[in-house]
Amino acid sequence: MTPKQVDEEKIEEQIEEEEKERRIKNQIGEEKGVAAAEIVSEMEQAFIDYAMSVIVDRALPAVEDGLKPVHRRILWAMNNLGLESSKSTVKSARIVGETMGKFHPHGNIALYDALVRMAQDFSLRYPLVHGQGNFGSMDGDSAAADRYTEAKLSKIADEILEDIDKDTVKMLPNFDNSEKEPETMPAKLPNLLLNGATGIAVGMATNIPPHNLTEVSDAIIETINNPNISIDSLTEIIKGPDFPTGGIITGSGIKEMYTSGKGKIIIRARTSIEESKGRPVIIITEIPYMVNKADLVKDIAKLATEKKLPDVYDLRDESAKGKVRIVIELKKDVDPKFTLNTLYKLTNVQTSFDANILALVGKHPRILNIKDIIQEYIKYRQIVVRKRSGFDLKKAEDRLEIVSGLLIALKDIDRVVDFIKKAENGAAAHEGLMKKFSLTDRQAKAVLEIRLSQLTHLEAGRLRDEEKKLNDSIKDLNAILGDEKEILKVIKKEVQELKAKYGDERRTKIIKSVAEITEKDLIEKKDVVIMVTNGGYIKRVDLKSYREQKRGGAGVSGAELKEEDFVSRMLTCSTHDYLLFFTSRGRVYWLKANDVPSSERQGKGKALINVLNLHDEQISNIMSVKNFDLGYLLFVTKLGMVKKLPLKDVSKPRSAGVRIMNLPLDGSDTVINVRIVNDKQEVMIFTKKGQAIRFNSDEVRPMGRASYGVKGAELAKNDEVVALEVLPADGKTTILTIGVKGYGKRSELEEFRVTSRGAKGVIAMETSDKTGDIVSALGVDSKDSIIATTTKGVVLRTSMKDIRVMGRATQGVRVVNLKEGDKIAGVVKVPQADQIEDLEDN
């Protein structure tokens, strides 16, 4: 062989080896692919089988009896043990063992937990198990071990099991085919609605709330009477869920739940507000469903410790013997609604129930509305009543056959006895009785088995009565089986009996709606005084801190101010109001009244620069606003300029403020006051030298934020504007004028004639060295009160009934008895609705 041939042969061998290796690799790859495909397919099928097992055999209740398999098996095991409600209880461990050994081969702990829940009156609206011993509590306490507790069926459970021995339900083999267990219970009661259900399956979950038996019974009866009844009509009968722990629920999500099978229901604790030793007290007597009471008390205590519930003074759990009583004692003079809203927002005093009415209908999971559940219950009960009636009919006919045979024999008893005596044996006697007396096989057997004591006339009469009753019963049962309407009548009658036997009052109260808790709801609504000092400090003080004093009183200490500082601006408002801060340079800043730092009456407050983003400006006025949609802002400057700006133009808060008036750049003019006015409303401008200009606000046209304004008053030399007052539409007011030295007076409004804008006006108060310049002027009546502040921080509250009405050109009377060197810095009116009782001096 030549070298060339050798090389060619080697090449061919190499090619064959490569081809063989490739074929082997392809074969291995194909085998691996087949194996991978088989694994995927097997896992998919296994997961589907597992999911359906969880859905059908574990997590979801059947619409027919409202029970999951574990609960159904527990009740069936208790029935087999003879634990009817009329019998004595037995150890729970025995029930668990019976259930686990024969019907439910799962953990005994899970079984006992299910048994315990069925015995808890705070978990089930109508408990199915009567427990004896410690079965847990609303505080989350566990039940005692199953060797210590005892149980039996409740009366309600008896109704669910009734007629199960009459072939009314399908019986299935247990896990080892040694016993039979029911596929569903006869369920004389609509248990799915009465006790609800909760369960998590694979890819789906159910959460059905419990309901009131009386309402559900009425709805079933009405549906039988009117099969085309609407869901809206049913919701008028079934008002909503009825939780075992009571509480209060909103009606907003109920209709959606009953219509679509899904809905969110807000549950609140039932609370009341009382007073104890001068303190408001919140008492919780019912808590939301499935809320742990002990944890709830701990949460409230924690919030109080963290100052998120600052008004809580004391907290006690006074619950006893199944009655809930949580006492939350508050500090004096606080509004309990504020604390209650905070509890709703931050604790389980308010919870939500996300309903998802999912149940098995013929082994298939399905979302149901309220009408679907009732119709499925009626449909199932029709089947049960039909099967029960058929069973009873057969039993009655069999008994009638025996009774008829016995009556035939008793009618000719001597011949019958004589024949039996002469018969060779029992078989011959049996055969002879059938032929000679025309008896059936069963009748002949019954005659042969009759005792001598039954051959009396009394026994014959009893048999004739029984024959009549059996004939009537057979007639009735045939009528039921022959007409579906008769079956519905039976169902309706049974439901009415259940309602009369077990119906009770609704525990859960339903209200139309529970409003979303807003930020305002978490802020206690109360009247406060907002103070700003000349030195740039601001504080919020409860209005009740200042008691009324008689005219000429010395006042009480209002603030511990720095030397030479004094209160320059002050107003009364609600903690729910918006505050508008107008600066001397024509800008406005926004702040919620409740965000103003709270302070004691004697405190100096907090630096304004740390509260507002000011730019080298002084606050010239503060205004509280509830509604930005109506009215105008009317500005007046020191030099008598006025401007009207729509209030809605300042309705959008900005942290850096907004320029609303274009004042001269040289700083010669500043904003003195800003008030809200409406169309055709009269206003008055007051100057420090005692002049008053009264004109109609319509004389000032609305302008934009960038304008300066128009002339409002003609000022004399060295005079300037100190006050702006908006007059009431009815014109019923008096004008209070106060000078810097504490003198003041009230004058009738009629004494001030109406002029045009820009006039000099008339004298409002005769100023002198005794009175000093005018510091403020207000429209008041005899029911009003005012708070006057001095430059040394003294605050006086006095009633207008103590200041008599005088003429315009008088100097007035002493309103505040000032100490030497002290002056009136400002005056503010307290609205009549805010009048409070006198408080003791500090």
Side-chain angles (χ1 to χ4, degrees), residues 49 69 91 112 119 134 182 197 255 302 312 339 374 386 443 445 482 490 495 595 649 724 783 804 813:
D49 293 342
K91 290 291 185 183
Y112 184 51
N134 176 17
K255 188 172 182 180
K302 184 179 178 182
V312 173
T339 301
I374 293 174
R386 190 180 299 112
Q443 288 175 333
K445 185 179 178 182
V490 172
V495 169
D595 290 340
D649 287 2
L724 169 69
K783 295 181 181 179
R804 63 186 177 87
V813 296

Side-chain angles (χ1 to χ4, degrees), residues 636-678:
V636 64
T637 71
K638 181 175 71 173
L639 299 182
M641 299 295 289
V642 292
K643 173 183 176 178
K644 191 160 71 173
L645 177 73
L647 186 57
K648 63 182 179 180
D649 287 2
V650 295
S651 62
K652 296 180 180 178
R654 299 183 192 176
S655 60
V658 172
R659 181 171 294 281
I660 52 173
M661 196 170 191
N662 195 11
L663 294 170
L665 297 177
D666 60 4
S668 58
D669 200 5
T670 57
V671 175
I672 295 298
N673 205 347
V674 186
R675 297 292 298 275
I676 295 177
V677 297
N678 297 314

